[in-house]
Amino acid sequence: MTLENKTVAFLVGPEGIEQAELVEPWKAVSEAGGTPRLVSKDSGTVQAFNHLTPADEFPVDVTLDDASADQFDALVLPGGVANGDQVRTFPAAVSFVKAIADAGKPIAVICHGGWVLIEADLVRDRTLTSWPSLQTDYRNAGATWQDQETVVDEGAFTLVSSRKPDDLPAFNRELVRAFE
């Protein structure tokens, strides 16, 4: 599998990103020959966490003000409760995610990263998974929620979803396949 000549956006908030859910998919994209780019609201760095403990900081490559769907071939939405909750409150993030989906580009989401998909009204009539506490949110937004390691829903855009850090090997395999 190769992602040569593919640029993948990783959209995150300023803090609260679950570090493994950023680092491991980033590594999978890089190892497959793709170019991962960190997109966030502001320039500078973002703060990742290992659950509730602060972990590493990561430099932002592109701010939401400068990001557009035509710059990217795919999108990853890492989890983390605070991260997912923040991202959905940024109108520019919601617009960016909607533009990626409207362009038919694949999106991979894990854990709490999907709140922005709900905010953008992109889960209606789709099947996916997430951290279990989001299942009611997804169902209320018109999605079918399943408790599975990874769900791939082919539709107007491919949607790869996963529940938690333990699912990262399957998530990474499926996102690389979908982004190819």
Side-chain angles (χ1 to χ4, degrees):
M1 291 189 267
T2 181
L3 298 180
E4 226 173 284
N5 301 317
K6 304 267 183 162
T7 303
V8 179
F10 282 70
L11 175 61
V12 298
E15 64 182 342
I17 306 111
E18 186 66 38
Q19 183 154 318
E21 295 173 357
L22 171 62
V23 171
E24 294 303 315
W26 186 284
K27 184 173 147 188
V29 166
S30 294
E31 288 177 352
T35 303
R37 305 275 290 159
L38 193 63
V39 179
S40 194
K41 185 175 184 230
D42 300 312
S43 60
T45 60
V46 296
Q47 177 69 58
F49 281 69
N50 291 322
H51 191 51
L52 298 175
T53 304
D56 297 323
E57 290 186 4
F58 295 90
V60 173
D61 295 310
V62 183
T63 64
L64 280 166
D65 288 340
D66 295 328
S68 67
D70 61 353
Q71 295 171 285
F72 301 98
D73 299 293
L75 171 64
V76 176
L77 298 168
V81 178
N83 173 59
D85 193 46
Q86 288 173 33
V87 170
R88 70 178 170 169
T89 69
F90 305 144
V94 176
S95 296
F96 177 70
V97 171
K98 188 149 180 38
I100 293 278
D102 289 347
K105 297 177 181 183
I107 298 175
V109 58
I110 187 166
C111 196
H112 290 81
W115 268 326
V116 70
L117 295 172
I118 294 168
E119 194 67 30
D121 194 25
L122 295 172
V123 300
R124 189 173 315 283
D125 301 322
R126 303 302 296 264
T127 301
L128 46 73
T129 193
S130 67
W131 185 256
S133 66
L134 273 68
Q135 66 182 295
T136 301
D137 297 335
Y138 278 120
R139 288 182 177 131
N140 288 342
T144 299
W145 186 88
Q146 296 179 339
D147 185 13
Q148 290 180 208
E149 182 177 65
T150 305
V151 175
V152 179
D153 182 297
E154 302 288 344
F157 65 94
T158 300
L159 179 58
V160 177
S161 58
S162 211
R163 300 173 299 191
K164 57 189 174 184
D166 289 347
D167 299 337
L168 280 164
F171 179 65
N172 292 339
R173 181 180 61 249
E174 293 302 327
L175 77 82
V176 168
R177 185 173 294 141
F179 293 178
E180 249 187 327

